[in-house]
Amino acid sequence: MIRNGHETAGGAERPGPGGRRPVRVWCDGCYDMVHYGHSNQLRQARAMGDHLIVGVHTDEEISKHKGPPVFTQEERYRMVQAIKWVDEVVPAAPYVTTLETLDKYGCDFCVHGNDITLTVDGRDTYEEVKQAGRYRECKRTQGVSTTDLVGRMLLVTKAHHSSQEMPSEYREYADSFGKGPGGRNPWTGVSQFLQTSQKIIQFASGKEPQPGETVVYVAGAFDLFHIGHVDFLEKVHGLAERPYVIAGLHFDQEVNRYKGKNYPIMNLHERTLSVLACRYVSEVVIGAPYSVTAELLDHFKEPKRRGIFCQISSGNDLTTDLIVQRIIKNRLEYEARNQKKEAKELAFLEAMRQQEVRPEGESDCDF
């Protein structure tokens, strides 16, 4: 078990309001290609209790039930650990959530988005906890999914840089990649992300630098926010005893100028939420200049005439380019994975519809 923030200095849990026993919440999942949709789910889950424990499935379990993951289990453990609303991470969590698992970690209930997760044989992975009344649901974040991100990487299009209508080739891809032979699935597929000020407020800490804190500024694209970024920001965070890390995010046009092709894969608004969810970041500059100017430093009350620039190695070779290469190399496997997932979910939906329209008193039993 990997322990994270939100805990007292001694490592003990904080009591709940009024000194009551803290409410422990369980979430689990693949958390492959961790994005702000995952972070938003965990934010909502954390708000339902006092202590959030997140179980992450192994590569073997994901391959069995869904298909090959993009990231290794060790990378996925670290990514979830870096999300600021997570208190503990449980590696190698079982794919099917049971009452035994909730009891083992002292959790009152589990939380999942309002979509469906199925086993390889088409069973709801939360069936047991739902029947026991220890299941809560949160809203799924519209406009982002692993399916959509993979689609952006495979097609050299810049449609995701704006809110304009998707071009025909991307729409065609979205329809085929997120739609099985049986029709449209409401959970898998591509939808449009719309940024709102409320979403930024939900993700932002809202805290100003305090006396005695060291303000550290970093800047970059932070595209497809990944473990390389996390390792870098963790080292930056460790530069001071009381750090206040400000991350500057370049405009989409600026990133495209120095990266080319269809970069950035995530637009500025999406990258903002991804970085704000990281526990090592205190504030984000949306649309930071490529060059650090005196005016920018003045804005954050930083001294101008001393050596304040240093280079930090993340110690991790992973880059956004390497992630794209992984996807392209295994394109057919990922397409097959999503179509397999789509088919299972559509079959499950159809079974639910059949249950709803079945005449009262009729059953599946043959007597």
Side-chain angles (χ1 to χ4, degrees):
M1 185 181 293
I2 306 167
R3 297 187 184 276
N4 275 338
H6 295 301
E7 298 183 17
T8 57
E13 287 182 350
R14 294 173 179 170
R20 62 163 171 75
R21 182 184 71 81
V23 175
R24 292 168 65 87
V25 181
W26 173 270
C27 284
D28 56 29
C30 304
Y31 299 104
D32 195 20
M33 289 187 65
V34 172
H35 50 67
Y36 60 91
H38 294 124
S39 300
N40 195 37
Q41 180 229 355
L42 297 175
R43 179 192 65 80
Q44 294 178 77
R46 182 62 169 75
M48 296 182 190
D50 306 301
H51 194 83
L52 178 60
I53 302 174
V54 182
V56 183
H57 309 317
T58 62
D59 296 343
E60 182 180 2
E61 281 282 272
I62 296 172
S63 296
K64 173 185 175 183
H65 292 281
K66 293 180 67 174
V70 178
F71 288 91
T72 69
Q73 58 197 40
E74 294 301 327
E75 290 171 331
R76 292 183 289 107
Y77 298 156
R78 290 276 290 114
M79 283 299 296
V80 174
Q81 183 186 5
I83 296 173
K84 63 184 177 183
W85 297 287
V86 176
D87 294 293
E88 301 177 31
V89 173
V90 175
Y95 199 81
V96 176
T97 308
T98 63
L99 295 175
E100 180 182 359
T101 298
L102 297 189
D103 291 341
K104 179 179 179 180
Y105 296 101
C107 294
D108 296 272
F109 53 84
C110 74
V111 176
H112 187 67
N114 55 344
D115 54 351
I116 193 75
T117 302
L118 304 174
T119 63
V120 66
D121 54 357
R123 294 183 64 85
D124 183 353
T125 60
Y126 296 99
E127 182 178 3
E128 181 176 320
V129 292
K130 285 179 178 178
Q131 291 178 351
R134 292 173 68 180
Y135 176 85
R136 305 287 186 276
E137 210 164 73
C138 62
K139 291 184 178 180
R140 184 176 183 272
T141 305
Q142 293 297 315
V144 64
S145 66
T146 303
T147 303
D148 185 26
L149 295 178
V150 169
R152 298 182 196 183
M153 285 181 266
L154 291 175
L155 287 179
V156 184
T157 172
K158 301 177 186 177
H160 51 281
H161 292 177
S162 70
S163 59
Q164 296 176 2
E165 183 69 17
M166 297 178 189
S168 58
E169 70 272 16
Y170 187 69
R171 177 70 64 184
E172 181 180 350
Y173 171 82
D175 286 344
S176 64
F177 200 63
K179 182 177 178 182
R184 168 63 63 189
N185 184 333
W187 303 308
T188 304
V190 178
S191 58
Q192 198 80 6
F193 169 69
L194 297 176
Q195 178 65 290
T196 64
S197 58
Q198 181 62 30
K199 188 64 64 185
I200 293 179
I201 291 170
Q202 290 171 343
F203 272 57
S205 68
K207 296 178 181 178
E208 296 284 341
Q210 299 300 307
E213 289 185 329
T214 302
V215 178
V216 184
Y217 178 77
V218 298
F222 293 101
D223 193 17
L224 282 179
F225 195 74
H226 54 71
I227 192 62
H229 297 132
V230 168
D231 286 344
F232 167 69
L233 290 169
E234 183 179 18
K235 289 193 174 185
V236 169
H237 191 268
L239 290 175
E241 186 175 342
R242 295 181 58 200
Y244 187 94
V245 178
I246 299 171
L249 272 64
H250 301 150
F251 281 115
D252 295 337
Q253 296 88 339
E254 187 67 31
V255 177
N256 188 252
R257 181 187 64 77
Y258 63 77
K259 288 282 290 182
K261 299 181 182 177
N262 62 332
Y263 290 105
I265 302 300
M266 283 184 156
N267 66 43
L268 178 60
H269 298 308
E270 295 172 313
R271 292 183 283 123
T272 296
L273 294 182
S274 296
V275 176
L276 280 174
C278 181
R279 66 174 64 249
Y280 305 118
V281 175
S282 302
E283 179 64 284
V284 165
V285 178
I286 303 174
Y290 184 73
S291 300
V292 180
T293 62
E295 288 77 14
L296 180 66
L297 294 180
D298 277 341
H299 182 76
F300 297 110
K301 300 179 175 61
E302 281 284 1
K304 292 187 291 184
R305 288 182 291 274
R306 60 176 179 145
I308 58 174
F309 176 80
C310 65
Q311 286 186 307
I312 301 293
S313 171
S314 69
N316 192 309
D317 294 331
L318 187 64
T319 64
T320 303
D321 288 328
L322 289 177
I323 295 171
V324 173
Q325 288 174 27
R326 287 187 192 182
I327 294 293
I328 292 173
K329 180 181 178 182
N330 299 290
R331 171 174 182 159
L332 294 179
E333 286 185 331
Y334 295 132
E335 288 181 343
R337 180 186 77 174
N338 277 38
Q339 289 175 0
K340 175 183 173 183
K341 176 175 181 286
E342 175 86 359
K344 283 195 303 181
E345 291 172 351
L346 286 169
F348 186 85
L349 275 174
E350 182 58 29
M352 289 175 62
R353 292 193 188 101
Q354 291 298 324
Q355 286 288 110
E356 292 172 359
V357 301
R358 179 174 295 150
E360 188 176 348
E362 185 178 327
S363 72
D364 291 322
C365 300
D366 292 323
F367 292 112

